[in-house]
Amino acid sequence: MQKIVRSISTKFRLHQTSFQAVKCLNGQRNNEYKRNNYSFAGNIGVGTILATALYLEWSDDKNAVYAATAPSVQQKHVKEIGKFKENLPFYALEEVGKHTTVESGIWVTYKEGVYDITKFIEGHPGGDQILIAAGSSVEPFWVLYGIHENPHVFDILESYRIGNLNKEDAQHMTADMSDPYSSDPKRHPALKPASAKPFNAECPPSFLVESFYTPNELFYVRNHLPVPEIDPENYELEIYIEGKDKTRVFSLDELKKMPKQTITATIMCAGCRRSEMTKVKPVKGLNWGPAAIGNATWTGVPLREILKLAGVNEDDAKHQHIQFEGVDADVTGKMYGASIPIWKALDKRGDVILAYEMNGVPIPRDHGFPIRVIVPGVVGARNVKWLGKIVVAKDESDSHWQQNDYKGFSPSTDWDTVDFSKSPAIQELPVISAICQPGGGDTVQVQNGRITVKGYAWSGGGQKIVRVDVTADGGKSWHVAKFDHQDSALPPKHWAWTLWSAEIPVENNAKSVEIWAKAVDSCYNTQPESFENIWNLRGVLSNAYHRVRVYLKS
Amino acid sequence: MQKIVRSISTKFRLHQTSFQAVKCLNGQRNNEYKRNNYSFAGNIGVGTILATALYLEWSDDKNAVYAATAPSVQQKHVKEIGKFKENLPFYALEEVGKHTTVESGIWVTYKEGVYDITKFIEGHPGGDQILIAAGSSVEPFWVLYGIHENPHVFDILESYRIGNLNKEDAQHMTADMSDPYSSDPKRHPALKPASAKPFNAECPPSFLVESFYTPNELFYVRNHLPVPEIDPENYELEIYIEGKDKTRVFSLDELKKMPKQTITATIMCAGCRRSEMTKVKPVKGLNWGPAAIGNATWTGVPLREILKLAGVNEDDAKHQHIQFEGVDADVTGKMYGASIPIWKALDKRGDVILAYEMNGVPIPRDHGFPIRVIVPGVVGARNVKWLGKIVVAKDESDSHWQQNDYKGFSPSTDWDTVDFSKSPAIQELPVISAICQPGGGDTVQVQNGRITVKGYAWSGGGQKIVRVDVTADGGKSWHVAKFDHQDSALPPKHWAWTLWSAEIPVENNAKSVEIWAKAVDSCYNTQPESFENIWNLRGVLSNAYHRVRVYLKS
């Protein structure tokens, strides 16, 4: 039995009423993810609710990137929303609680407001997930998924207003609100948040090229949920092989006593550089710049050794995927989850490790303390943090993030036509590069007719960068960059990025130039030229040429 | 000892004089590739001659693609070149034979002409290889590398004319010429030659999409040298591990008795679709269309089993490459050669096999009878045909084709600045696709406002095609193609191409449209948009969007 402290759990103890409503709505199926020490306890029947959906991206095309919304505008709306409104009927919470089905109408409350959102269910970007609030307050969920605190979302909600909550119930509801993110760790102020709750942030790109190993404090953070507080003394990792009775359990101490391996690997978010793709046409997703990537050493136990101990046999056709489950949970008790194909986990060239150190120190809380899976060459989303459970399974993880996110689509696929089952979950990432110095809009000193440009390049799947080309004249002349730091690992086991620089000639007396960079990897794959033809509705795989306009001084 | 009949060898027996000249020039080092049954025998000192160079690409930028040169123009020049010229001195062959060094001047003959080519050595696209003709006739080499039979090459040669060969010697020289390609196999007339000698040809692209398995007779042929005639009864494969005394030898019968494996794999020439890149700026290379690719089943012995039998140990840092040597030899006795990294050869996911069957029948002569290495996911050039020898080595093959060809470069790298040692040998190929039906310039029937487009897509490294996008309006709307045939192998062991089709809407009353296709593989790598920024001097890796303009009839 695990005894991990979950910061999220106690705070929602008082909201069992809303979960109960959902239970009624969705039947009595037990949540297969429950563990006994969940304090929002018991039979939360979320089985039929669609997997936790686009929490961070509840938006429409006009207002896709919440991180860009000015805080002052948000504040104004925060104050107005859900206030008592004259000429509307009053409802008791008990009455609201009876409206949890389409037939009876689906009602929710926010502060003093009562809303009938029945007609909104289909339009909710987060899917049926919204039903979890049916018959009660949306507030705990909006606190959890802070992205909802957005004027546009408030407008939508207010348009469904049908009444006021009676005074007593309204006071009671409001008193219960608290912030599940309050025990998130302190972050370095250099990390620029793309969203605050959950915390998602990157450092200014110029820092990236200063060190081959990204300092932990500046390493981009991509959290989907509150950061769990885990007591390392009580940490346990469960390993379960589908079809077998026994679950194998490892303590942190046991893991640390096993033969360890250190790899240098770059981890990148699938949405890195999304902010450039957004300029073509809005996408749903955090407004990442080019620094949602970092390179570190990771020390831990090879996953294949753990799996061997647990009796996993690759040739068993029943088991084709390794599912990872974090202990970071949403309010339904559903953990963050993802999976990788079994070949990657068992291949000695796969180098998948259960890491407990990042750059030589225990993995910081934001990066998965005490154990994070490192799946080198593979999208960050599969490098599951706060690892709680490994399932050796026939199928991929059924988590939202494996099934309904982190997939690529054609530029002409929109939210009306998208079918997530038709695209494979992103695993290995394509080749990418970015210019980190100078930044866009910087003024650059021209020396001997040249400017200095620095950046990174990386490719997934263990491919090595073999060339970076840079131009300051729209491709008329390409200059091969010098590699300032590239490790010696051979493909297909080259997991680290390459830092490069180039001295590029610029036209005499030019006031400004646009610099482009593109990389080529050891499969001779190269980047697409522009975003128009790789645009996709989630703004992932944003690896077109990086183009930066800078001003020149002589 | 091998007893393979080599068609090329006997025909050049009489030209030992020129080889002797080279021996003097280049020292006495024995050719480490010699075998006792070479009929041009003995100590041919080619060790210091730079590796066999750009045989097929002796050209300059103005006239890069010989295959495109009109035969009638060639014929005219063929007749004029090397004829007796008045007012020039006569030289005896013996005298010519004394001019084999830069100090004495480097002289060659062609028919009745004597030429001092000293000043041309540096400019020869084939490098020092030209020195092999020093002091004697260039004719046997020009017969072997038929690409020289080009008006532009003749013009260059004639500009170095210094005299006439005396009549007796001229008659003697001419009588010795014969065609080393005369015993090449008969080919299907549907194969359109990109060069005749050596034979390089592809079928019309429209045939490719008619069958998931390309018929052997229509499978593109890419030969670097004459096709050897090999007696299967006497065929032997040598396996040599550097640093060990013993060479292991397998007969064809022994290989066939070992456990066999069948894979479906697409093989592609690095120059496939080069003819499109050439339009941006000329490149040196055969003028391949989109059909220098084919898909077949290959049956043979897993290479890793053979290597295990031979005692190869992957963890031995001394052996990092597996070199393959064909028995197709040039006039110096140098065989075609290439190598792959040892991990690919030993990995059970690598699926490298020594194939003796292609689509269920013995591999045809043009494709490597009796044994061809199939290195799935890897450029055709490493899939060595007529395999004679495997060397387990510390280094890559030192062959021309591994070191000085089949590499990618920046668009701004030209023949003055190129340094082949700076780029890695192409192994896994990047993602590519092509439209095969309709062909460029075809007139297409519009039905219900749509046209039907068919093609192939493929990616190296065992990556599977996950999507093909097609547009007929310059990318304003992209249509996801249907996969007509894709095998079920999972990446990174997906070796076969994908055949696709799409019904694309076209504008009402449009007279013509340009169709574009691009593919995305399981690493979500995609094709670059255009050739301008991937142009390279050898015209390899020509994988930009395929664009085909067609005419429409309603």
Side-chain angles (χ1 to χ4, degrees):
Chain A
M1 192 58 52
Q2 293 224 38
K3 288 171 193 161
I4 301 161
V5 179
R6 288 183 181 76
S7 64
I8 173 182
S9 51
T10 52
K11 294 178 181 167
F12 287 90
R13 187 187 294 260
L14 295 173
H15 292 286
Q16 286 191 29
T17 46
S18 58
F19 293 122
Q20 291 301 326
V22 174
K23 188 174 77 174
C24 299
L25 189 69
N26 293 289
Q28 298 293 332
R29 215 185 93 186
N30 285 353
N31 177 357
E32 66 181 44
Y33 286 85
K34 80 176 160 61
R35 295 191 190 146
N36 288 356
N37 61 335
Y38 280 8
S39 54
F40 47 84
N43 299 333
I44 299 167
V46 297
T48 57
I49 296 181
L50 285 188
T52 40
L54 301 173
Y55 298 143
L56 299 177
E57 289 79 31
W58 188 8
S59 66
D60 67 3
D61 282 356
K62 283 176 296 184
N63 199 351
V65 182
Y66 286 138
T69 307
S72 59
V73 179
Q74 286 190 23
Q75 283 308 318
K76 184 164 163 277
H77 276 259
V78 167
K79 282 179 190 163
E80 286 168 7
I81 185 84
K83 274 199 171 174
F84 169 77
K85 272 190 179 171
E86 286 187 11
N87 302 324
L88 286 178
F90 278 94
Y91 297 101
L93 187 57
E94 196 186 344
E95 175 63 18
V96 174
K98 291 174 185 166
H99 292 82
T100 58
T101 66
V102 174
E103 291 70 33
S104 62
I106 290 165
W107 291 13
V108 296
T109 68
Y110 185 89
K111 294 187 180 165
E112 291 174 80
V114 176
Y115 306 86
D116 179 352
I117 59 165
T118 318
K119 289 184 180 159
F120 180 63
I121 306 294
E122 279 200 5
H124 183 227
D128 285 3
Q129 178 65 13
I130 197 173
L131 294 180
I132 205 158
S136 187
S137 171
V138 297
E139 287 164 89
F141 310 99
W142 285 23
V143 170
L144 193 67
Y145 312 121
I147 207 75
H148 289 84
E149 300 228 355
N150 177 283
H152 184 64
V153 179
F154 292 154
D155 289 346
I156 292 174
L157 183 67
E158 209 56 31
S159 73
Y160 293 105
R161 184 78 177 255
I162 56 167
N164 295 307
L165 193 59
N166 74 32
K167 295 280 174 190
E168 194 184 339
D169 285 342
Q171 277 171 3
H172 176 73
M173 294 295 285
T174 308
D176 294 338
M177 296 305 107
S178 72
D179 182 356
Y181 294 96
S182 61
S183 60
D184 264 22
K186 294 268 172 273
R187 280 90 182 199
H188 194 284
L191 285 176
K192 298 181 298 179
S195 89
K197 295 173 183 182
F199 188 73
N200 289 285
E202 62 189 314
C203 72
S206 63
F207 291 169
L208 290 185
V209 290
E210 297 297 344
S211 170
F212 185 66
Y213 303 98
T214 313
N216 293 353
E217 296 77 8
L218 298 180
F219 206 100
Y220 85 100
V221 177
R222 200 314 178 210
N223 293 340
H224 296 83
L225 295 161
V227 176
E229 291 179 288
I230 296 174
D231 176 0
E233 294 297 315
N234 293 319
Y235 172 84
E236 284 177 345
L237 173 67
E238 292 177 29
I239 302 195
Y240 172 65
I241 304 179
E242 278 184 358
K244 292 199 178 176
D245 286 340
K246 215 176 128 192
T247 294
R248 180 113 190 200
V249 176
F250 293 88
S251 72
L252 187 59
D253 244 23
E254 284 172 318
L255 291 174
K256 285 188 170 176
K257 279 178 184 153
M258 293 180 64
K260 67 183 177 183
Q261 182 184 0
T262 296
I263 60 168
T264 300
T266 293
I267 309 285
M268 191 182 89
C269 178
C272 185
R273 296 185 51 209
R274 178 183 282 134
S275 55
E276 297 160 66
M277 187 180 279
T278 298
K279 289 174 188 164
V280 171
K281 195 166 74 172
V283 299
K284 287 181 180 163
L286 297 166
N287 199 30
W288 290 115
I293 186 171
N295 187 55
T297 62
W298 309 92
T299 300
V301 192
L303 174 60
R304 65 183 183 282
E305 300 301 335
I306 297 277
L307 293 177
K308 261 188 228 163
L309 280 180
V312 177
N313 175 5
E314 182 179 11
D315 297 328
D316 181 351
K318 281 185 299 196
H319 299 132
Q320 289 303 304
H321 299 273
I322 306 294
Q323 301 177 353
F324 304 116
E325 199 179 289
V327 301
D328 48 335
D330 67 21
V331 287
T332 73
K334 184 90 176 174
M335 274 72 173
Y336 182 83
S339 64
I340 61 172
I342 196 166
W343 76 263
K344 173 73 178 169
L346 292 182
D347 195 325
K348 69 173 177 173
R349 267 178 280 280
D351 281 347
V352 181
I353 59 173
L354 306 183
Y356 44 77
E357 284 179 14
M358 177 180 182
N359 286 326
V361 298
I363 292 194
R365 281 188 62 214
D366 256 337
H367 297 289
F369 179 84
I371 292 286
R372 177 182 194 173
V373 195
I374 296 298
V375 191
V378 163
V379 62
R382 316 297 169 220
N383 291 251
V384 175
K385 302 196 267 194
W386 314 293
L387 185 67
K389 192 172 181 180
I390 295 174
V391 181
V392 184
K394 180 167 176 289
D395 297 314
E396 280 193 323
S397 166
D398 67 356
S399 89
H400 164 74
W401 298 278
Q402 189 83 15
Q403 298 299 329
N404 296 313
D405 199 354
Y406 297 117
K407 295 185 171 188
F409 294 95
S410 155
S412 295
T413 300
D414 59 27
W415 289 101
D416 292 330
T417 57
V418 68
D419 178 352
F420 273 91
S421 71
K422 291 280 192 271
S423 276
I426 298 171
Q427 297 283 349
E428 280 100 347
L429 283 169
V431 59
I432 195 169
S433 68
I435 296 161
C436 296
Q437 290 179 11
D442 284 0
T443 298
V444 185
Q445 181 68 52
V446 180
Q447 286 189 315
N448 302 321
R450 289 170 182 263
I451 58 171
T452 301
V453 181
K454 291 184 178 190
Y456 67 77
W458 181 69
S459 189
Q463 298 305 326
K464 181 175 163 179
I465 296 300
V466 302
R467 202 179 73 241
V468 173
D469 295 329
V470 189
T471 180
D473 58 9
K476 277 190 227 103
S477 62
W478 286 99
H479 305 272
V480 177
K482 180 168 72 75
F483 290 168
D484 296 324
H485 201 137
Q486 181 176 62
D487 87 16
S488 59
L490 295 173
K493 273 169 64 95
H494 190 98
W495 312 121
W497 65 11
T498 295
L499 298 184
W500 54 265
S501 63
E503 310 282 327
I504 310 295
V506 290
E507 220 178 293
N508 250 345
N509 301 320
K511 291 245 162 46
S512 76
V513 288
E514 191 174 73
I515 315 162
W516 304 353
K518 64 174 166 106
V520 180
D521 76 9
S522 39
C523 283
Y524 278 101
N525 272 300
T526 188
Q527 297 174 238
E529 286 174 30
S530 61
F531 289 98
E532 279 75 6
N533 294 316
I534 62 163
W535 185 95
N536 61 85
L537 76 184
R538 284 290 285 113
V540 291
L541 307 158
S542 194
N543 69 330
Y545 291 10
H546 196 207
R547 297 167 196 241
V548 170
R549 180 159 289 282
V550 298
Y551 300 97
L552 304 176
K553 63 176 176 189
S554 297
Chain B
M1 191 54 56
Q2 295 221 36
K3 287 170 192 161
I4 302 163
V5 179
R6 289 184 180 75
S7 65
I8 173 182
S9 53
T10 50
K11 295 177 179 168
F12 286 89
R13 189 187 294 261
L14 295 174
H15 292 285
Q16 286 192 27
T17 46
S18 57
F19 294 123
Q20 292 301 325
V22 174
K23 187 173 79 173
C24 299
L25 190 67
N26 293 289
Q28 299 293 333
R29 214 183 95 187
N30 285 353
N31 176 357
E32 63 182 42
Y33 287 84
K34 80 177 159 62
R35 296 192 190 146
N36 288 355
N37 61 337
Y38 282 2
S39 56
F40 47 81
N43 299 333
I44 297 167
V46 297
T48 57
I49 297 182
L50 286 189
T52 41
L54 302 172
Y55 298 142
L56 300 176
E57 290 79 30
W58 187 7
S59 67
D60 68 2
D61 282 352
K62 281 177 296 183
N63 199 349
V65 183
Y66 286 138
T69 307
S72 59
V73 179
Q74 288 192 22
Q75 284 307 319
K76 183 164 164 277
H77 275 259
V78 168
K79 283 180 188 163
E80 286 170 5
I81 185 84
K83 275 198 169 175
F84 169 76
K85 272 189 179 173
E86 285 189 11
N87 303 324
L88 287 179
F90 280 92
Y91 297 103
L93 187 57
E94 194 186 344
E95 175 62 21
V96 174
K98 290 174 185 167
H99 293 83
T100 58
T101 66
V102 173
E103 292 70 33
S104 64
I106 290 165
W107 290 13
V108 296
T109 68
Y110 185 89
K111 293 186 179 166
E112 290 175 84
V114 175
Y115 306 87
D116 180 351
I117 60 166
T118 317
K119 288 183 180 160
F120 180 61
I121 304 296
E122 279 200 5
H124 183 228
D128 284 3
Q129 178 66 13
I130 197 173
L131 295 179
I132 205 160
S136 188
S137 171
V138 296
E139 286 165 89
F141 309 99
W142 286 22
V143 171
L144 194 66
Y145 312 121
I147 207 75
H148 288 85
E149 300 229 354
N150 177 286
H152 184 65
V153 178
F154 292 153
D155 289 345
I156 293 174
L157 182 68
E158 209 55 33
S159 73
Y160 293 106
R161 183 80 176 254
I162 55 168
N164 296 306
L165 192 60
N166 73 33
K167 295 278 173 188
E168 194 184 343
D169 285 340
Q171 277 171 2
H172 176 74
M173 294 294 285
T174 307
D176 293 339
M177 297 304 112
S178 73
D179 182 358
Y181 293 96
S182 61
S183 59
D184 265 21
K186 292 271 172 273
R187 279 92 182 198
H188 193 286
L191 286 175
K192 297 181 300 181
S195 88
K197 297 174 183 182
F199 188 73
N200 290 285
E202 62 190 312
C203 72
S206 64
F207 292 169
L208 291 184
V209 290
E210 298 296 345
S211 170
F212 186 65
Y213 304 99
T214 313
N216 293 352
E217 296 76 7
L218 298 181
F219 206 102
Y220 85 100
V221 177
R222 201 306 178 220
N223 293 340
H224 295 83
L225 296 161
V227 176
E229 290 179 286
I230 297 174
D231 175 0
E233 296 296 316
N234 293 320
Y235 172 82
E236 284 177 344
L237 173 66
E238 291 178 29
I239 302 194
Y240 172 66
I241 304 179
E242 277 183 1
K244 292 199 179 178
D245 285 341
K246 213 176 130 193
T247 295
R248 181 111 188 199
V249 176
F250 292 88
S251 71
L252 187 58
D253 245 22
E254 285 172 319
L255 292 174
K256 285 187 170 177
K257 280 178 184 152
M258 292 180 64
K260 67 183 177 183
Q261 183 183 2
T262 296
I263 60 169
T264 301
T266 293
I267 309 286
M268 191 182 89
C269 178
C272 185
R273 298 186 50 209
R274 179 183 281 133
S275 55
E276 296 160 66
M277 187 180 279
T278 298
K279 290 174 187 163
V280 171
K281 195 166 76 173
V283 299
K284 287 181 182 165
L286 296 166
N287 199 32
W288 291 115
I293 186 171
N295 186 56
T297 63
W298 308 92
T299 300
V301 192
L303 174 59
R304 63 182 183 283
E305 300 301 334
I306 297 277
L307 293 177
K308 262 188 227 162
L309 280 180
V312 175
N313 174 5
E314 183 179 9
D315 298 328
D316 181 352
K318 281 185 300 194
H319 299 132
Q320 289 303 304
H321 299 272
I322 306 294
Q323 302 176 353
F324 305 115
E325 198 179 291
V327 301
D328 48 333
D330 67 20
V331 287
T332 72
K334 184 91 175 172
M335 273 73 173
Y336 183 82
S339 64
I340 61 172
I342 196 166
W343 75 264
K344 174 72 177 170
L346 292 182
D347 195 325
K348 69 174 175 171
R349 267 179 279 280
D351 280 347
V352 181
I353 60 174
L354 307 184
Y356 44 78
E357 283 180 14
M358 177 180 183
N359 285 327
V361 299
I363 293 193
R365 280 187 64 212
D366 256 338
H367 297 288
F369 179 84
I371 293 285
R372 177 181 193 174
V373 194
I374 297 297
V375 191
V378 162
V379 63
R382 316 298 169 220
N383 291 252
V384 175
K385 302 195 267 194
W386 315 294
L387 186 68
K389 191 173 182 180
I390 295 174
V391 180
V392 184
K394 180 167 178 289
D395 297 314
E396 280 193 322
S397 166
D398 68 355
S399 88
H400 163 73
W401 297 278
Q402 187 82 17
Q403 299 299 329
N404 297 312
D405 198 354
Y406 297 116
K407 294 187 171 186
F409 294 95
S410 157
S412 295
T413 300
D414 60 26
W415 289 101
D416 292 331
T417 57
V418 67
D419 177 351
F420 274 90
S421 72
K422 291 280 192 271
S423 276
I426 298 171
Q427 297 282 350
E428 279 101 348
L429 282 170
V431 58
I432 194 168
S433 67
I435 297 161
C436 296
Q437 292 179 9
D442 283 1
T443 298
V444 185
Q445 180 69 51
V446 180
Q447 286 188 316
N448 304 321
R450 292 171 179 262
I451 57 170
T452 301
V453 181
K454 292 184 177 189
Y456 66 77
W458 181 70
S459 188
Q463 298 305 327
K464 181 176 162 178
I465 296 300
V466 301
R467 202 178 75 241
V468 173
D469 296 330
V470 189
T471 182
D473 58 9
K476 276 190 227 103
S477 62
W478 286 98
H479 304 272
V480 177
K482 180 167 73 73
F483 290 168
D484 296 323
H485 202 138
Q486 180 176 63
D487 84 18
S488 60
L490 296 173
K493 272 170 65 95
H494 191 98
W495 310 121
W497 65 12
T498 294
L499 299 184
W500 54 265
S501 63
E503 310 281 326
I504 309 296
V506 291
E507 218 176 298
N508 251 345
N509 302 319
K511 291 246 164 48
S512 75
V513 288
E514 192 176 72
I515 315 161
W516 304 353
K518 66 172 164 108
V520 179
D521 75 10
S522 39
C523 283
Y524 278 101
N525 272 301
T526 188
Q527 297 175 236
E529 288 174 28
S530 61
F531 289 99
E532 279 75 5
N533 294 316
I534 62 164
W535 185 95
N536 61 83
L537 74 185
R538 284 290 285 113
V540 290
L541 307 158
S542 194
N543 70 329
Y545 291 9
H546 196 207
R547 298 169 197 240
V548 170
R549 180 160 288 280
V550 297
Y551 300 96
L552 304 177
K553 63 175 175 191
S554 299

